Amino acid sequence: MKASPGRVTLVGAGPGDPELLTLKAVRAIRSATLLLVDDLVGDGVLRYARRSARIVHVGKRGGCRSTPQAFIQKLMAAEALNGEHVVRLKGGDPFVFGRGGEEAEHLRARGIAVEVVNGITAGLAAATSLGVPLTHREHAHGVMLVTGHARANGAPLHWPTLAAAAAQGLTLVIYMGVATVEEVQRGLLAALDAGTPVAVVQHASLPAQRHAVGTLAGLAALVREGGLGSPAVIVVGDVLRGLRHAALDAAPARRRRGA
Ligand code: SAH
């Protein structure tokens, strides 16, 4: 592989709270000459950038493709080949639903050195913010991180199959699932008890964090009535037992009375 003058570091910025950055992430952000920033990256994280660094926001919030992925990849490669130290800041962990894999492949194929720095993924931060261990040994053998949005290789997710695995004692953590929550709920009810505990956490780790706790039978209503939108994760499983079955956030924006 040809050595390139510049380099790219794919950095996990964590769920939002800058205190959850790793020391490696802070070091990379400090040494960047160009930062390409996803929109789920909290502003607090950018305080570590040099004053002289260029900061470019390349978010694709809520599926509206403001900056196409191909463009981001081209830009990263061009800037690195130009000698820049590019830091690609991604929410959570760069290799959990972050398209970090595609970006690393694109760069390596062009002989550009890529380093990847882990971040705390939103699903872990969300559960911890509720005081919930995702793999509490009395309730779960493991945890599945799944996306409610993507259709990997064109095949839609088969929720009943995931529900069957969850029923075997696997906690389910669903990213990008609030937009399709009705479908998620319907599919999961095929193999999971209606009374299975669920939680929805929005803006995990940030001051704006809100969450609601309930049961699978009322999951979609919980999201709708709590006004919980993206970015949010849905947690499903017995590890949530013991949490109060209620909307715990202070003032849900659009909760309907008497619902
Ligand atoms: N790489 C990221 C995930 C990117 S996909 C990570 O490891 O966390 C984007 C999805 O992540 C959002 O739709 C939402 O489901 C979740 N997400 C990201 N930040 C979040 C946060 N602070 N609180 C809750 N969910 C979040």
Side-chain angles (χ1 to χ4, degrees):
M1 196 169 39
K2 207 171 57 169
S4 74
R7 62 199 166 104
V8 177
T9 313
L10 302 183
V11 175
D17 177 355
E19 300 228 323
L20 292 176
L21 282 169
T22 65
L23 293 175
K24 266 197 183 199
V26 171
R27 185 142 39 85
I29 295 167
R30 280 199 175 125
S31 69
T33 57
L34 170 65
L35 289 118
L36 301 179
V37 184
D38 267 358
D39 50 14
L40 284 179
V41 172
D43 288 342
V45 168
L46 295 176
R47 76 168 73 123
Y48 296 105
R50 292 184 200 176
R51 278 180 193 280
S52 59
R54 273 188 297 149
I55 297 178
V56 180
H57 291 270
V58 290
K60 297 187 295 266
R61 189 64 185 275
C64 64
R65 293 156 197 273
S66 55
T67 315
Q69 184 68 15
F71 175 80
I72 297 172
Q73 292 181 184
K74 268 192 188 156
L75 179 65
M76 262 192 308
E79 296 285 355
L81 290 170
N82 213 14
E84 303 282 351
H85 177 199
V86 181
V87 161
R88 174 79 170 106
L89 263 179
K90 303 176 81 72
D93 186 274
F95 279 177
V96 178
F97 306 128
R99 305 189 76 168
E102 292 160 49
E103 296 180 5
E105 280 164 27
H106 180 89
L107 295 162
R108 287 185 179 130
R110 281 152 189 79
I112 297 164
V114 184
E115 193 194 341
V116 182
V117 177
N118 283 126
I120 294 180
T121 190
L124 297 186
T128 299
S129 75
L130 303 182
V132 167
L134 287 172
T135 60
H136 192 299
R137 59 185 297 212
E138 279 171 27
H139 301 293
H141 304 295
V143 56
M144 299 183 275
L145 305 184
V146 302
T147 168
H149 171 71
R151 295 158 163 255
N153 306 319
L157 267 178
H158 191 248
W159 292 106
T161 304
L162 286 173
Q168 294 296 305
L170 294 179
T171 307
L172 194 50
V173 180
I174 305 165
Y175 292 64
M176 295 170 271
V178 286
T180 54
V181 68
E182 278 86 8
E183 191 187 322
V184 171
Q185 176 181 332
R186 211 177 320 117
L188 292 180
L189 280 170
L192 276 175
D193 196 87
T196 305
V198 298
V200 184
V201 186
Q202 181 183 26
H203 295 306
S205 88
L206 289 165
Q209 175 171 330
R210 300 171 63 235
H211 71 270
V213 179
T215 60
L216 185 55
L219 173 58
L222 208 60
V223 168
R224 230 182 305 114
E225 287 156 17
L228 293 162
S230 179
V233 292
I234 300 168
V235 182
V236 180
D238 283 341
V239 292
L240 296 166
R241 282 202 192 284
L243 281 183
R244 272 180 51 209
H245 284 202
L248 297 180
D249 48 277
R254 281 177 275 137
R255 186 188 302 174
R256 277 180 289 157
R257 285 178 62 82

